[in-house]
Amino acid sequence: MIASTFIWSNYSGRHWVQITKHVHALKIPFQVTDPSGLKIPRFVYIYLLYGIKVCLIDSGVASSSQIILDHLTEAGRSPKEISLLILTHAHPDHIGAAKALKSISGCAVAAHAAEKAWIEDVDLQETERPVPGFKSLVEGSVPVDLILQDGDVLDPGGGLNMQVIHTPGHSPGSISLWLPQEGVLFSADAIPTAGGMPVYEDIQASVRSIQRLKSVQGIKVLLSAWDEPRMGTEPYRSMDSGLDYLQRIHNAVIKVADPDVRLDSMELCRRVLEELGLPKVMANPLVARSFQSSFCMLDQKDLLQDRG
Ligand SMILES: [Zn+2]
């Protein structure tokens, strides 16, 4: 049984809500500091699956471990009951507390093979994908015990099963998780929010992944890492909106790109943001990298063909 609206509890600064019989959502606030020293408030959603054991979907940032442990205590569960931490991908706001949670609970850590290197060596990740304040967001490296691939079915106990769907684009090894018994799809960062900061490595793969998620029948609740829980008709509408946003971005890159003038990637970034009517403060190397993935395929105007 799923509530028609979700009422968030705010307890000792923690924002959480029970989504279904087994799934709880936690909204974790944090800050990133940009190169000018400006503190930017951010948040990330992580999810707990309460079965016979406890399964975590992502760990949030480094400071999240105490929030998660407090939530477990409040639910009458022990940290030792965490048996599995699934990392949907390697980015800092997903793996930040993994090291602490693994050391406290002894849980297994699971992720896609394409994310393993950056989870097991966070210094390598910081070198290859610098993010402001990386060290304050990520506590440290953690070994990946279980490699997940598309089609795997996990057994969290209690008659539940959770299917792994490989949804690359945002990152090469991003995964989504489908819990059919409760109609819950965990999409992590796979679906961009219209008007939000565009962060992906491969726009065409992102489109294909969202189309794949759209083909999942019977989604009652969509739980992403950067958007509030979506239910009713909203899950499929959110996917359509994400697809349309990617196409609009691609159109803007095509319009701005001059085949005779190879623009510096940050200059291209600024011009595309302006074309899209997005704030100038979004201009950063991650967003520039997203737009570059369109630059490589300017001849393909319609990304949504073969739309699922
Ligand atoms: Zn991410």
Side-chain angles (χ1 to χ4, degrees):
M1 169 102 175
I2 295 166
S4 56
T5 55
F6 294 113
I7 311 290
W8 289 80
S9 298
N10 185 356
Y11 183 81
S12 299
R14 295 194 299 286
H15 298 268
W16 65 274
V17 67
Q18 181 169 1
I19 304 288
T20 61
K21 182 178 175 189
H22 294 95
V23 178
H24 284 205
L26 266 178
K27 184 177 183 179
I28 296 185
F30 63 98
Q31 288 184 332
V32 292
T33 306
D34 80 357
S36 71
L38 184 71
K39 291 192 185 310
I40 303 163
R42 301 283 297 273
F43 60 84
V44 64
Y45 292 92
I46 64 143
Y47 301 99
L48 298 98
L49 187 56
Y50 286 112
I52 294 170
K53 299 275 191 171
V54 178
C55 172
L56 284 177
I57 298 170
D58 287 328
S59 73
V61 294
S63 57
S64 310
S65 53
Q66 195 54 52
I67 297 173
I68 294 168
L69 296 175
D70 287 348
H71 184 70
L72 277 169
T73 305
E74 209 176 293
R77 307 294 291 251
S78 154
K80 294 283 181 202
E81 291 180 72
I82 304 173
S83 61
L84 183 62
L85 166 59
I86 303 172
L87 299 174
T88 59
H89 60 292
H91 291 163
D93 48 337
H94 299 258
I95 70 160
K99 184 180 178 186
L101 291 168
K102 184 175 175 62
S103 99
I104 291 165
S105 69
C107 66
V109 173
H112 191 276
E115 305 291 310
K116 180 174 155 68
W118 279 5
I119 295 169
E120 295 191 335
D121 185 348
V122 296
D123 292 331
L124 175 71
Q125 178 177 173
E126 188 180 11
T127 302
E128 294 185 347
R129 187 180 185 270
V131 169
F134 186 95
K135 288 274 187 316
S136 68
L137 299 176
V138 180
E139 192 195 351
S141 305
V142 69
V144 175
D145 306 294
L146 179 64
I147 294 293
L148 300 177
Q149 60 181 354
D150 188 67
D152 282 351
V153 178
L154 301 167
D155 176 9
L160 298 171
N161 64 59
M162 193 150 55
Q163 298 167 13
V164 176
I165 305 172
H166 184 207
T167 44
H170 176 72
S171 72
S174 280
I175 56 167
S176 298
L177 297 154
W178 169 229
L179 191 65
Q181 288 89 350
E182 300 198 328
V184 176
L185 180 70
F186 302 91
S187 60
D189 291 352
I191 306 169
T193 308
M197 189 180 292
V199 179
Y200 47 82
E201 296 198 7
D202 182 334
I203 191 168
Q204 185 70 87
S206 281
V207 165
R208 295 287 172 257
S209 290
I210 300 168
Q211 289 173 329
R212 172 109 190 268
L213 293 178
K214 267 188 76 182
S215 73
V216 175
Q217 301 287 312
I219 301 169
K220 294 177 182 161
V221 190
L222 178 68
L223 298 178
S224 87
W226 53 25
D227 192 18
E228 62 187 89
R230 300 285 175 185
M231 58 191 163
T233 58
E234 288 186 331
Y236 296 100
R237 284 220 309 266
S238 296
M239 294 182 209
D240 280 333
S241 165
L243 287 171
D244 290 343
Y245 188 41
L246 289 174
Q247 182 65 61
R248 273 199 290 131
I249 292 170
H250 191 58
N251 294 346
V253 176
I254 290 171
K255 187 168 178 192
V256 164
D258 180 343
D260 297 326
V261 183
R262 180 77 194 191
L263 287 174
D264 163 73
S265 70
M266 284 306 296
E267 182 56 29
L268 178 79
C269 180
R270 283 186 279 272
R271 292 192 193 185
V272 173
L273 288 172
E274 188 178 359
E275 177 67 26
L276 288 164
L278 293 175
K280 287 180 184 162
V281 290
M282 279 191 190
N284 67 49
L286 292 184
V287 174
R289 189 162 159 164
S290 306
F291 296 158
Q292 284 297 314
S293 78
S294 275
F295 205 87
C296 301
M297 46 184 298
L298 296 177
D299 291 340
Q300 187 170 340
K301 303 243 180 313
D302 181 5
L303 293 179
L304 309 187
Q305 60 187 1
D306 305 326
R307 194 169 187 164

